[in-house]
């Protein structure tokens, strides 16, 4: 898999990844965001009217299991 030379452009498949991520955000009403001070990723609802789910949920990816896990922040 080829890598782009410009660090800001990312891997060659970055545009496709971002397109699929946008589709997942639209489908499930969740987006990945990051903390402004430490950059820790979290999930956030796109519909602020939902009240049965925390506004932010900490997000982690395990390279061992190749799965994401979440916990309320």
């Amino acid at each position: 898999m080829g890598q782009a030379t410009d660090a800001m452009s990312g891997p060659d498949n970055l545009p496709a990844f971002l397109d699929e991520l946008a589709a997942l955000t639209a489908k499930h009403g969740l987006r990945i965001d990051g903390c402004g001070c430490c950059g820790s990723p979290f999930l956030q609802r796109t519909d602020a009217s939902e009240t049965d789910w925390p506004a932010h949920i900490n997000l982690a990816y395990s390279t061992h299991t190749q799965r994401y896990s979440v916990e309320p922040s």
Side-chain angles (χ1 to χ4, degrees), residues 6 10 12 16 18 23 41 43 47 51 53 57 59 63 65-67:
D6 177 30
D12 295 339
L18 294 175
L43 291 177
D47 180 1
T51 58
W53 203 69
I57 291 188
L59 178 66
T63 56
T65 63
Q66 297 185 345
R67 297 186 59 91

Side-chain angles (χ1 to χ4, degrees), residues 11-33:
D12 295 339
N13 61 346
L14 183 59
F17 171 80
L18 294 175
D19 287 345
E20 291 180 36
L21 184 57
L24 284 172
T25 295
K27 179 180 178 179
H28 297 286
L30 299 171
R31 70 174 194 238
I32 298 173
D33 213 333

Side-chain angles (χ1 to χ4, degrees), residues 34-40:
C35 176
C37 63
C38 67
S40 295

